[in-house]
Amino acid sequence: MKVFVLIPKKYVDFIDEELALVKTAYSDILDYIIVKNTNTKTYLSRDKIEKIKSLEFDKLIVMDKLKPPQFINLVRELKRDVVDRILVILEIFANHAGSREALLQIELARLKYTLPLTKEAIRYAKLGELHGFLGAGRYGYEKYYTMLKKREARVRRELEKLRLIRSVRRKARVEAGLPHVVIVGYTCAGKTSLFNTLTGLSKPVGPEPFTTLSPKSYKVNYRDANFIVTDTVGFIRDIPPEVIESFYATLEEVAEADVIVNIVDASKKITEVISEIETGKEILRRIGAYNKPIIYALNKVDKLQSFKSVLSEVEKHVRDHDDVIPVSCVKKLNIDLLLDKIREKLVVKRYGVNEEENIRA
Ligand SMILES: Nc1nc2c(ncn2[C@@H]2O[C@H](COP(=O)(O)OP(=O)(O)OP(=O)(O)O)[C@@H](O)[C@H]2O)c(=O)[nH]1
Ligand SMILES: [Mg+2]
């Protein structure tokens, strides 16, 4: 199946990243264009629609958030499937989901997102203008809508049950008295590589986005510090609220962490590194975790000649009490330094002040 991609001009500096997202879900990209001006009714201008109409592709991928009328009008004009950025992300999530909970969360997000679309489709179907959109027949939309609503309620109930089980497990861990270190970061930054390095496990790592979709936890003993470390789902620019709400519920762990390690791919362009750090901060704020101590691990420094400039630039973008440590998970560079920092932060947290000051007093 061939896809044609539209990239809005706001992502002009991140074309590779956006195309990598598309490729993860749909491997055969015919071509892409940058869309400078959008139209509220059809998203693309009439001109552009006419131009791409004759091209040989099966699906149109729009790396933007489409409004229901834009969706429906594009489908009507092109007589082909249309998928927007949120649905691409959900598609990738669905392909990678490793647990029942993850699958249900994705289904809930998709239902929440497609319900308004179905409503709009009902409106058009009543006008006799739409056939077969979203898999429903001309007279089947209302029935289809009711079925989706019922399914949504069922998924919600099942998710509640699963979350309860997980929170009981988490409580048991807290009661066991072990502090909790959570690794977060942009997708592909190397979270799982770090998790594996710290735990000696070998969970799957890979260059494509969203290799990890279910948080994994494991115990680490380092000198006199014992803690639980958790690997998480990768961050991404402009995560749609529909995805945050349902899927990122698995990030509940982050809000209860004692220390957060935010891992960043330092081998990217400096503007991207900073923009990823800002995206990370924004997401931590949204999930109520930006008040935690954060250690920034600048990963993949083995790919750099020198990490001096990225280090000094990143330091300008973090809070005074946060730390920045250049590391390489592949070359096992500075991992001890990172562990020392984690240990130090856990000690400070336990005593409220620095251990040495405590002794002096
Ligand atoms: N050169 C180099 N590559 C690294 C390093 N750490 C990780 N990588 C590579 O970066 C890619 C992504 O690593 P992962 O550990 O899967 O990243 P992640 O953050 O867990 O990614 P997702 O789970 O997809 O969000 C893999 O191809 C790793 O081999 C490093 O220190 N140096
Ligand atoms: Mg991973």
Side-chain angles (χ1 to χ4, degrees):
M1 189 189 50
K2 269 196 175 20
V3 302
F4 189 82
V5 187
L6 307 184
I7 298 182
K9 74 163 183 267
K10 65 178 170 184
Y11 295 139
V12 76
D13 290 333
F14 312 104
I15 292 175
D16 288 347
E17 204 178 284
E18 293 300 303
L19 288 177
L21 272 178
V22 178
K23 253 198 196 119
T24 310
Y26 307 97
S27 51
D28 201 356
I29 298 179
L30 175 70
D31 205 352
Y32 73 90
I33 53 170
I34 311 272
V35 179
K36 293 210 179 81
N37 300 305
T38 61
N39 171 315
T40 48
K41 219 175 142 212
T42 50
Y43 189 77
L44 268 187
S45 66
R46 176 117 308 273
D47 240 26
K48 288 252 165 57
I49 289 183
E50 287 308 321
K51 255 185 214 150
I52 65 169
K53 227 177 194 171
S54 55
L55 298 176
E56 300 262 319
F57 64 92
D58 309 292
K59 251 187 219 282
L60 179 76
I61 313 290
V62 185
M63 291 311 271
D64 206 347
K65 187 178 160 117
L66 288 179
K67 297 194 179 70
Q70 292 175 323
F71 241 118
I72 290 170
N73 285 320
L74 275 175
V75 171
R76 287 167 69 205
E77 290 286 345
L78 295 170
K79 307 213 165 25
R80 266 163 278 199
D81 250 5
V82 175
V83 174
D84 76 351
R85 191 169 184 268
I86 298 179
L87 292 174
V88 169
I89 293 171
L90 289 173
E91 180 76 33
I92 300 171
F93 278 11
N95 293 342
H96 286 223
S99 68
R100 170 110 191 108
E101 190 180 10
L103 271 174
L104 286 170
Q105 269 158 352
I106 295 155
E107 187 179 351
L108 183 61
R110 206 197 293 259
L111 281 168
K112 273 195 336 222
Y113 193 59
T114 50
L115 274 170
L117 263 177
T118 312
K119 229 182 191 160
E120 183 79 3
I122 291 173
R123 217 169 60 79
Y124 276 87
K126 280 190 177 149
L127 298 172
E129 287 187 6
L130 194 71
H131 298 256
F133 181 59
L134 287 172
R138 185 167 166 184
Y139 301 104
Y141 284 111
E142 309 242 16
K143 242 192 203 152
Y144 184 57
Y145 186 76
T146 319
M147 187 197 83
L148 290 183
K149 278 296 234 196
K150 278 197 185 139
R151 177 74 196 149
E152 189 190 3
R154 224 178 14 242
V155 171
R156 259 183 217 287
R157 278 199 302 274
E158 201 171 330
L159 269 175
E160 280 306 315
K161 269 191 230 151
L162 288 174
R163 279 193 194 139
L164 202 68
I165 296 172
R166 212 150 43 86
S167 83
V168 169
R169 274 199 210 128
R170 198 163 60 224
K171 266 206 194 100
R173 227 164 37 216
V174 172
E175 273 158 22
L178 290 179
H180 196 178
V181 176
V182 176
I183 304 172
V184 300
Y186 220 72
T187 186
C188 295
K191 295 177 296 299
T192 308
S193 303
L194 180 63
F195 179 82
N196 287 342
T197 305
L198 298 181
T199 59
L201 298 177
S202 36
K203 297 287 174 199
V205 301
E208 73 284 5
F210 302 120
T211 305
T212 310
L213 276 183
S214 309
K216 297 272 177 323
S217 300
Y218 205 73
K219 196 174 152 183
V220 173
N221 306 315
Y222 176 70
R223 294 171 55 190
D224 60 344
N226 298 317
F227 57 88
I228 302 281
V229 64
T230 298
D231 185 13
T232 59
V233 181
F235 296 155
I236 175 164
R237 198 182 317 286
D238 293 342
I239 309 173
E242 290 84 351
V243 180
I244 284 260
E245 274 171 36
S246 47
F247 193 80
Y248 279 73
T250 50
L251 288 180
E252 279 160 3
E253 320 251 338
V254 184
E256 290 178 15
D258 296 286
V259 171
I260 293 173
V261 176
N262 188 349
I263 185 156
V264 183
D265 181 348
S267 70
K268 289 192 170 174
K269 275 193 294 191
I270 185 67
T271 47
E272 278 186 50
V273 171
I274 300 302
S275 128
E276 288 183 12
I277 285 178
E278 294 301 334
T279 300
K281 282 190 202 165
E282 164 69 22
I283 292 167
L284 289 178
R285 263 187 220 112
R286 274 203 258 171
I287 57 177
Y290 195 56
N291 55 342
K292 312 270 169 189
I294 302 179
I295 302 171
Y296 290 87
L298 301 184
N299 191 29
K300 312 194 188 180
V301 293
D302 54 285
K303 286 165 102 177
L304 296 174
Q305 296 252 324
S306 150
F307 53 74
K308 263 197 194 132
S309 64
V310 49
L311 183 62
S312 71
E313 200 51 42
V314 167
E315 274 171 343
K316 289 185 209 154
H317 290 264
V318 307
R319 299 169 303 186
D320 284 349
H321 52 281
D322 292 332
D323 292 282
V324 188
I325 303 177
V327 300
S328 163
C329 294
V330 165
K331 295 267 151 65
K332 309 277 180 270
L333 200 84
N334 277 353
I335 301 299
D336 278 3
L337 204 65
L338 178 64
L339 278 163
D340 281 332
K341 220 12 126 192
I342 292 174
R343 182 179 160 273
E344 188 187 304
K345 295 249 185 224
L346 290 177
V347 167
V348 169
K349 187 154 164 114
R350 203 172 339 137
Y351 296 108
V353 288
N354 190 295
E355 198 179 32
E356 275 112 64
E357 281 173 27
N358 208 16
I359 293 164
R360 241 183 282 137

